[in-house]
């Protein structure tokens, strides 16, 4: 006999309840795994970095990580999920006495980013990288047209990124790049060569599209007004209340 509407409703309610229960269990379990799998100075797991600073955390799951004895991470860095950090062309190489990959204090690497250091790569303090940023000191060579490009010995050149920079989503920093202080790299830009302090670069290859002049300010001028800082003493509750105000009544 077919089920009555009441029976179908009861079955649907039980199914929904069971699904919610399983969903909560899975989500709670995943949060526990993420917490347990994160890497920090207190809980380095199998990774033995040259240094991992106070407050620095590598989110779980990590990307490819090798050459840790030659990787130095400053204090209070945030390394997102699936971030690759490598020193040397392959695991197990002896790269000498000094680290070759250095992140300064407060560096943020967004989800899915890669930092590939076959020779020296330095990222200055308080530099923020969006997701899927690629920083590399190595590039393929194609000198010999008879040999597949992937089998030719690559070229390496040190990379230096100054403090306070912002690298947008999908930016690529090529071997030999030297970025100054507080440089903004637009999303998807491909940077090579030297970039001066306090400029915005965009494009592939990247070029300067805006620069700071001490007398004139940003040139060309910014098209949007500067953000208004939050006044001192404003509580989170007051900010939430402001966000709920009806703009038509203010």
């Amino acid at each position: 006999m077919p089920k009555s509407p009441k029976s179908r409703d009861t079955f649907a309610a039980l199914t929904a309840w069971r699904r919610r229960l399983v969903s909560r269990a899975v989500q709670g379990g995943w949060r526990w795994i993420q917490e347990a799998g994160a890497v920090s100075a207190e809980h380095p797991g199998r990774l033995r970095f040259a240094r991992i600073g106070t407050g620095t955390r590598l989110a779980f799951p990590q990307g490819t990580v090798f050459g840790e004895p030659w990787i130095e991470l400053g204090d209070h860095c945030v390394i997102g999920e699936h971030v690759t950090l490598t020193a040397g062309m392959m695991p197990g190489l002896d790269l000498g006495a000094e680290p070759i990959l250095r992140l300064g204090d407060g560096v943020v690497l967004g989800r899915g980013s890669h930092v590939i250091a076959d020779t020296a790569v330095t990222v200055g303090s308080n530099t923020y990288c969006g997701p899927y940023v690629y920083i590399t000191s190595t590039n393929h060579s194609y000198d010999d047209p008879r040999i597949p490009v992937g089998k030719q010995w690559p070229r390496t050149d040190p990379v230096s990124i100054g403090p306070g920079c912002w690298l947008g989503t999908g930016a690529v920093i090529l071997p030999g790049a030297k970025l100054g202080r507080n440089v903004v790299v637009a999303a998807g830009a491909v940077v090579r060569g030297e970039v001066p302090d306090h400029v915005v670069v965009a494009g592939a290859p990247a070029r300067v599209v805006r620069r700071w002049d001490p007398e004139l300010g940003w040139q060309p001028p910014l098209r949007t007004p500067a953000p208004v800082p939050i006044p001192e003493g404003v509580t989170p509750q007051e900010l939430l209340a402001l966000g709920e105000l009806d703009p038509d009544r203010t």
Side-chain angles (χ1 to χ4, degrees), residues 137-157:
S137 65
T138 302
N139 211 346
H140 295 293
S141 60
Y142 48 89
D143 300 70
D144 193 334
R146 300 165 298 176
I147 301 175
V149 173
K151 292 186 176 182
Q152 298 190 44
W153 194 254
R155 287 185 169 86
T156 62
D157 207 355

Side-chain angles (χ1 to χ4, degrees), residues 102-109 121-129 135 158-167 173 176-185 191 193-199:
R102 290 183 170 93
L103 303 186
D105 297 339
V107 170
V108 175
L109 297 177
V121 172
T122 304
V123 181
S125 297
N126 299 311
T127 285
Y128 284 56
C129 300
I135 302 169
V159 171
S160 174
I161 298 173
C165 294
W166 174 270
L167 278 59
I173 311 299
K178 185 177 181 181
L179 279 66
R181 175 184 295 271
N182 282 36
V183 172
V184 175
V185 178
V191 182
E194 190 163 347
V195 179
D197 297 344
H198 306 294
V199 298

Side-chain angles (χ1 to χ4, degrees), residues 156-248:
T156 62
D157 207 355
V159 171
S160 174
I161 298 173
C165 294
W166 174 270
L167 278 59
T169 300
V172 177
I173 311 299
L174 293 175
K178 185 177 181 181
L179 279 66
R181 175 184 295 271
N182 282 36
V183 172
V184 175
V185 178
V190 179
V191 182
R192 61 185 180 187
E194 190 163 347
V195 179
D197 297 344
H198 306 294
V199 298
V200 180
V201 296
R207 61 182 182 85
V208 175
V209 296
R210 180 171 277 121
R211 65 177 68 243
W212 172 259
D213 183 284
E215 296 181 359
L216 302 175
W218 285 106
Q219 297 297 315
L222 298 173
R223 293 191 294 268
T224 56
V228 178
I230 298 172
E232 292 186 11
V234 175
T235 66
Q237 292 77 14
E238 290 171 333
L239 287 175
L240 289 172
L242 285 173
E244 293 173 356
L245 288 176
D246 185 349
D248 295 333

